[in-house]
Amino acid sequence: MFIAANWKMNLKKSDIKDFLYFLKKNDFSNKIKLCIFPQSIYLSYLIDLLENTSVLVGGQNCYYELSGPFTGEISPECLKDIGCNYVILGHSERRTHFKESSTHVKMCAETALKTSLTPIICVGESYEDRMNNEELNFIENQIYHSIPNIEENFYIAYEPIWSIGTGSIPTNNQIFKMHDHIKKIAFSILKKDIKVLYGGSVSPNNIDEILKVSNVDGVLIGGASLKIKDFLAIYGSVAKHVNNN
Ligand code: 13P
């Protein structure tokens, strides 16, 4: 089971220090992979604080070139160089606010894989697509254009846009159906099984319900990963789940 904490553009140095003080007291399970995605300027700071723990660190984004005249961009090679293991790509906030296309996401993912970073490629439909019963087609199209053709390891995160930061989440049936759809499409392209994370308003209140969905391989948490109490409550639920299964 994978727990990914996307801090987005939140938490200053002192907040991170406080968060880590409590996180380090947590009883970590070797059945759970935990990765935190801070703002890029604090990556090294977080990596240093997490030395000698099993907690991993990743970037929230990267570019599709390794180096060169691309002011403001982040090289996947440099993420790897400072000790990152994962990189989130194609988050709906990047697609919406920074106009990142699926083709762009795919190019970034292919370059990230070359540097041995593991991409977490985000997909998710809008409320309108869901209301028009277009969600399966939309996601299929997004996956075809976003995932690398190379047979490497990466994750897909299913994050319905209408669920991000809203408190409303899909039903377990809807999550199951979409994860099944995503796994089948990925298999048809790659001829291998892929792991799918669920993201969107994951909280201590709904995590137990989400974990009942058999094809959820982990969660990508936004808001609830910023508050140590909520985050540890979610971690505790996942730990209980993996121990019972
Ligand atoms: P929330 O958990 O705040 O809904 O954010 C989800 C998300 O976008 C994680 O990448």
Side-chain angles (χ1 to χ4, degrees):
M1 208 36 88
F2 193 163
I3 301 179
N6 179 8
W7 283 354
K8 306 190 181 183
M9 204 173 76
N10 297 293
L11 302 188
K12 293 198 279 285
K13 210 169 175 179
S14 57
D15 304 320
I16 296 175
K17 198 172 169 197
D18 291 347
F19 191 99
L20 265 283
Y21 174 77
F22 292 105
L23 183 72
K24 281 185 169 179
K25 293 177 188 276
N26 187 47
D27 197 7
F28 291 107
S29 159
N30 56 13
K31 293 182 186 163
I32 299 173
K33 205 183 291 183
L34 169 59
C35 187
I36 302 178
F37 299 81
Q39 298 186 64
S40 57
I41 46 169
Y42 295 129
L43 280 165
S44 286
Y45 179 64
L46 183 62
I47 287 167
D48 287 348
L49 288 179
L50 287 169
E51 208 182 346
N52 299 323
T53 74
S54 59
V55 184
L56 305 167
V57 175
Q60 293 179 10
N61 193 32
C62 72
Y63 197 52
Y64 59 74
E65 295 284 353
L66 296 176
S67 64
F70 306 105
T71 304
E73 288 299 327
I74 298 167
S75 162
E77 196 172 36
C78 296
L79 287 179
K80 190 72 196 175
D81 188 42
I82 60 163
C84 288
N85 309 89
Y86 291 88
V87 62
I88 297 173
L89 292 171
H91 192 282
S92 64
E93 287 150 17
R94 300 284 326 164
R95 292 178 189 264
T96 305
H97 302 307
F98 306 101
K99 307 283 174 271
E100 288 185 0
S101 67
S102 291
T103 312
H104 175 92
V105 173
K106 179 181 183 155
M107 289 164 74
C108 295
E110 288 177 350
T111 312
L113 283 166
K114 279 186 204 150
T115 69
S116 301
L117 276 177
T118 303
I120 298 174
I121 299 171
C122 301
V123 296
E125 82 284 0
S126 65
Y127 184 70
E128 203 181 9
D129 283 321
R130 172 124 336 231
M131 285 303 105
N132 293 332
N133 293 320
E134 274 300 318
E135 71 276 9
L136 296 179
N137 286 339
F138 180 85
I139 295 294
E140 182 163 352
N141 187 51
Q142 221 176 21
I143 290 178
Y144 269 116
H145 292 99
S146 303
I147 69 169
N149 287 328
I150 38 184
E151 270 187 59
E152 295 274 359
N153 271 340
F154 58 88
Y155 288 77
I156 292 180
Y158 170 53
E159 297 206 304
I161 297 172
W162 51 273
S163 178
I164 296 177
T166 61
S168 66
I169 63 163
T171 64
N172 279 7
N173 245 347
Q174 289 172 327
I175 297 176
F176 180 86
K177 198 168 160 192
M178 187 58 88
H179 280 217
D180 188 53
H181 184 58
I182 291 171
K183 282 170 188 264
K184 281 179 179 152
I185 299 163
F187 190 86
S188 75
I189 301 169
L190 304 161
K191 305 286 174 263
K192 65 179 275 192
D193 293 324
I194 201 116
K195 293 209 184 318
V196 182
L197 313 180
Y198 170 75
S201 293
V202 175
S203 77
N205 297 332
N206 58 29
I207 183 69
D208 290 328
E209 208 47 35
I210 293 168
L211 292 171
K212 286 181 188 160
V213 184
S214 60
N215 56 8
V216 166
D217 300 307
V219 282
L220 178 51
I221 313 164
S225 73
L226 300 172
K227 299 179 204 121
I228 187 68
K229 203 167 157 227
D230 287 353
F231 188 60
L232 291 181
I234 294 173
Y235 189 97
S237 288
V238 177
K240 206 182 289 173
H241 174 80
V242 295
N243 282 335
N244 292 337
N245 285 281

